[in-house]
Amino acid sequence: MSKALRCPYCLDDLTSEDQTVRCSDCRTPHHDDCFRENAGCVAFGCSGREQVKGGQSIFLKPAIRIHH
């Protein structure tokens, strides 16, 4: 069962097809439109108003799983 990243503003999944950004303060990923609509980050306790590109790194999954 894989866990999808979710936008903390709209609660929809963040997919590699979406335009994503991160809060420059806490690095929480959001949809670009959601971050702009809210005029900043919605993460609890964060007052960040600047964004940086989300990048593909938020979608990377482990390449190897080791089972004992």
Side-chain angles (χ1 to χ4, degrees):
M1 176 187 203
S2 68
K3 293 182 179 180
L5 288 174
R6 291 185 183 255
C7 175
Y9 183 74
C10 70
L11 303 179
D12 280 342
D13 290 347
L14 293 166
T15 68
S16 58
E17 291 81 36
D18 294 330
Q19 289 235 298
T20 59
V21 296
R22 288 181 181 266
C23 171
S24 63
D25 290 357
C26 72
R27 308 291 291 165
T28 298
H30 298 70
H31 290 113
D32 179 49
D33 291 340
C34 293
F35 195 94
R36 284 187 285 118
E37 183 175 308
N38 188 62
C41 185
V42 299
F44 183 76
C46 183
S47 59
R49 297 289 175 238
E50 300 294 321
Q51 66 186 33
V52 294
K53 291 188 177 185
Q56 284 298 106
S57 65
I58 66 172
F59 304 109
L60 295 177
K61 297 189 180 196
I64 300 174
R65 292 184 187 234
I66 300 174
H67 297 279
H68 291 104

